């Protein structure tokens, strides 16, 4: 399939991304826009609900550019809430549904969210966060409540029915703040990454349409959830930009759940475009119920979140007859800027720059590096975030003039493709989600028996990164692996616990007492 070749038209100065998507789909009112396990939402119904929500948010006193927290499992209510806030000129802050009450308490205070839109199943965690936060929220709109609501909680469906549709969108500009996504850092709290109304337009135009070649006839399903930058493009902005249909699933994307979706168990539709991450592909290929090639309708498969091992891509292609199109994006750039192509895949590399983006590899002196040498990856393109909210230091470190520092190291190959060479910091990508080793270490040493801890990434048999903790126990104390894993799971988001734990007598350190993680990585590599 040939992607469009004409140059995209830049958004005008006055631009509301939600209104842009509504206008783009005005000619297909009865087509399914989103389908989940409880029903479907046509493009006409979606627009009506988006405009009703926008009117309701204004009616309760919310003002332009005020933030609203979006804590919701993937379902047809998610795009209504996200786009409704944009349509009203508000700024939705889409957050990870796997975090702890302490995480949400911080995000509420940091974003100063004036309202929360949340899934009923997540209310207990949200209420715990609200009780710990000094920031007050006016009300909570609840999607699919699972229990009777408190006076400050309002059923989303009833809220929508109580308001007439807003006659027009907010008069936002292309460079106005549109939404936030939180980006993890190697130290400290997550960073509120602010994106404009124009940014998702550019990612849909330059990558969704011109690289992936999505069309109106596609049925899209993303294992990455909508709160991820990757999932937001895969399951909302890309398919809506061409009038495709998206399947949404609230459950975790286990192999069994993904296979059920591929078989058409969501709305009777089989996806033609699937978006996953290498850890997920490894689990699927190892699963005894791996579907046969002829039982699926996949024509396009995308991967991001962590580097795709060549062997995984080759095994998938041999089984299904479809290549995995691997790329790299970031929360700061909103989506993928370096990628293979459906008709040009070189496994073991991340591919070539997406048209519309420039990349540079720079050495420690800031100058360019030669092909074959490792350098820090910088990107220039139209979808770069505006800033990190209330974090000028990190903003200046990452957004440097027209360039964005990715924090990744790469090598440029002779054919112009790029090969991943690791991180510039100690951050780990596990299952497509960043994990800070410092955060895990700080949690481990809270255990009564633990003196010191150091966390690194190690490769498993599929070439994927898993976290490993090296633990020094206090004299005379004891603990086992199961106990320490449970301890971390109880205090951090569950995906952050160390998959492997090794008890050691001491840790390698510098003369000043700083732990040398690179020594642990070297020793681990020597065992393999």
């Amino acid at each position: 399939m040939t992607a469009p070749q004409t140059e995209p038209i830049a958004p005008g100065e006055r631009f509301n991304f939600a209104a842009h998507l509504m206008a783009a789909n005005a000619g297909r009112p009865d087509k399914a826009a989103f389908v989940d396990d409880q029903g479907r939402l046509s493009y006409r119904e979606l627009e009506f609900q988006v405009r009703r929500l926008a009117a309701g948010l204004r009616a309760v006193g919310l003002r332009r550019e005020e933030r609203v927290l979006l804590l919701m499992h993937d379902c047809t209510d998610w795009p209504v809430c996200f786009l409704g806030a944009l349509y009203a000129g508000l700024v939705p802050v889409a957050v990870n549904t796997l975090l702890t009450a302490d995480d949400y308490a911080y995000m509420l205070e940091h974003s100063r969210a004036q309202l929360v839109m949340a899934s009923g199943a997540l209310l207990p965690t949200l209420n715990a966060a609200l009780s710990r936060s000094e920031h007050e929220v006016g009300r909570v709109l609840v999607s699919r409540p699972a229990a009777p609501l408190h006076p400050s909680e309002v059923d989303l469906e009833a809220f929508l029915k109580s308001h007439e549709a807003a006659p027009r969108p907010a008069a936002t500009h292309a460079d106005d703040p549109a939404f936030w996504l939180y980006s993890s850092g190697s130290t400290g709290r997550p960073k509120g990454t602010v994106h404009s109304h124009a940014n998702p337009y550019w990612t849909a135009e330059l990558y969704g349409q011109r690289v992936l070649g999505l069309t109106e006839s596609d049925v899209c399903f993303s294992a990455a959830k909508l709160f991820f930058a990757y999932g937001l493009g895969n399951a909302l902005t890309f398919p809506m930009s061409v009038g495709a249909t998206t399947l949404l699933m609230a459950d975790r994307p286990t192999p069994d759940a993904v296979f059920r979706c591929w078989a058409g168990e969501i709305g009777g539709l089989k996806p033609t475009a699937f978006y996953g991450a290498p850890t997920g592909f490894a689990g699927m290929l190892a699963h005894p119920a791996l579907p046969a090639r002829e039982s699926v309708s996949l024509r396009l498969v995308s991967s991001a979140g962590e580097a795709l091992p060549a062997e995984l891509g080759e095994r998938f292609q041999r089984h299904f007859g479809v290549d995995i199109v691997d790329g790299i994006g970031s929360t700061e750039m909103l989506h993928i800027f370096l990628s293979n192509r459906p008709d040009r895949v070189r496994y073991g590399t991340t591919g070539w720059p997406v048209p519309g983006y420039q990349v540079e590899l720079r050495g420690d002196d800031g100058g360019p590096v030669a092909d074959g040498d490792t350098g820090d990856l910088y990107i220039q393109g139209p979808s770069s975030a505006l800033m990190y909210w209330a974090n000028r230091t990190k903003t200046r470190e990452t957004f440097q003039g027209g360039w964005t520092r990715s924090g990744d190291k790469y090598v440029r190959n002779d054919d112009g493709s790029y090969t991943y060479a690791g991180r510039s910091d100690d951050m780990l990508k596990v299952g497509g989600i960043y994990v800070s080793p410092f955060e895990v270490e700080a949690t481990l040493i809270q255990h009564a028996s633990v003196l010191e801890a150091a966390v690194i990434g190690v490769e498993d048999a599929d070439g994927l990164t898993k976290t490993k903790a090296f633990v020094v126990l206090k004299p005379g104390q004891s603990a086992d692996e199961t106990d320490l894993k449970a301890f971390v799971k109880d205090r951090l988001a569950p995906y952050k616990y160390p998959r492997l734990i090794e008890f050691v007598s001491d840790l390698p350190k510098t003369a000043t007492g700083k732990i040398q993680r690179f020594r642990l990585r070297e020793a681990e590599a020597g065992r393999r």
Side-chain angles (χ1 to χ4, degrees), residues 1 25 73 79 185 202 252 286 322-323 393 400 421 458 497-498 519:
M1 182 174 298
N25 292 291
H73 290 136
W202 284 117
R252 289 180 55 244
V322 181
D323 278 307
T393 299
Q400 302 179 10
V458 297
Y497 82 93
R519 297 286 188 200

Side-chain angles (χ1 to χ4, degrees), residues 14 19 96 113 127 133 143 208 312 353 358 411 425 431 450 454 468 485:
R14 183 67 61 84
N96 189 332
N127 287 328
S133 171
S143 167
L312 276 182
Q358 294 177 270
V411 174
D425 54 26
V450 175
K468 179 172 182 177
K485 288 180 179 179

Side-chain angles (χ1 to χ4, degrees), residues 278-280 282-283 306-309 312 429 458-466:
T279 296
E306 54 189 323
L308 177 73
L312 276 182
K429 261 292 183 71
V458 297
E459 286 191 356
D460 65 11
D462 290 312
L464 300 170
T465 299
K466 304 298 180 189

Side-chain angles (χ1 to χ4, degrees), residues 184-402:
S184 298
S186 58
T187 59
R189 291 289 197 173
K191 303 181 292 293
T193 310
V194 183
H195 280 286
S196 72
H197 277 268
N199 285 3
Y201 168 86
W202 284 117
T203 59
E205 285 280 334
L206 297 176
Y207 191 69
Q209 296 180 40
R210 293 163 191 275
V211 172
L212 297 183
L214 289 175
T215 73
E216 180 182 10
S217 62
D218 277 311
V219 176
C220 302
F221 174 58
S222 175
K225 299 300 185 180
L226 283 162
F227 61 74
F228 290 114
Y230 181 47
L232 181 63
N234 301 341
L236 195 154
T237 62
F238 292 3
M240 284 196 70
S241 74
V242 297
T245 297
T246 297
L247 307 179
L248 296 175
M249 181 177 68
D251 296 338
R252 289 180 55 244
T254 62
D256 283 326
V258 171
F259 297 159
R260 288 195 297 272
C261 180
W262 287 2
E265 292 191 17
I266 298 179
L269 298 173
K270 289 186 175 183
T272 61
F274 174 70
Y275 309 83
T279 296
F281 288 119
M284 288 186 282
L285 289 170
H287 199 281
L290 183 68
R293 177 188 298 198
E294 58 272 13
S295 70
V296 302
S297 299
L298 301 175
R299 72 160 192 87
L300 173 70
V301 178
S302 166
S303 177
E306 54 189 323
L308 177 73
E311 192 265 344
L312 276 182
E314 291 162 354
R315 283 169 54 201
F316 190 94
Q317 200 284 331
R318 285 195 300 269
H319 185 84
F320 288 107
V322 181
D323 278 307
I324 298 178
V325 180
D326 185 35
I328 183 176
S330 67
T331 305
E332 289 75 11
M333 293 304 296
L334 188 56
H335 212 274
I336 290 173
F337 48 80
L338 188 63
S339 179
N340 285 270
R341 309 288 192 270
D343 60 352
R344 190 186 185 194
V345 170
R346 180 180 172 186
Y347 286 123
T349 79
T350 314
W352 298 263
V354 170
Y357 294 84
Q358 294 177 270
V359 302
E360 284 187 2
L361 298 184
R362 302 178 186 175
D364 292 340
D365 61 357
V369 301
D371 285 3
D373 290 343
T374 300
D376 291 307
L377 179 67
Y378 287 74
I379 315 102
Q380 186 176 71
S383 62
S384 177
L386 301 175
M387 61 177 163
Y388 296 130
W389 183 261
N391 196 334
R392 194 173 187 186
T393 299
K394 288 295 184 182
T395 295
R396 284 177 164 176
E397 288 177 5
T398 300
F399 305 104
Q400 302 179 10

Side-chain angles (χ1 to χ4, degrees), residues 125-149:
T125 306
L126 172 64
N127 287 328
L130 290 169
S131 69
R132 300 175 194 182
S133 171
E134 297 180 359
H135 175 73
E136 294 185 2
V137 171
R139 70 186 68 204
V140 177
L141 299 184
V142 183
S143 167
R144 303 177 183 180
L149 300 178

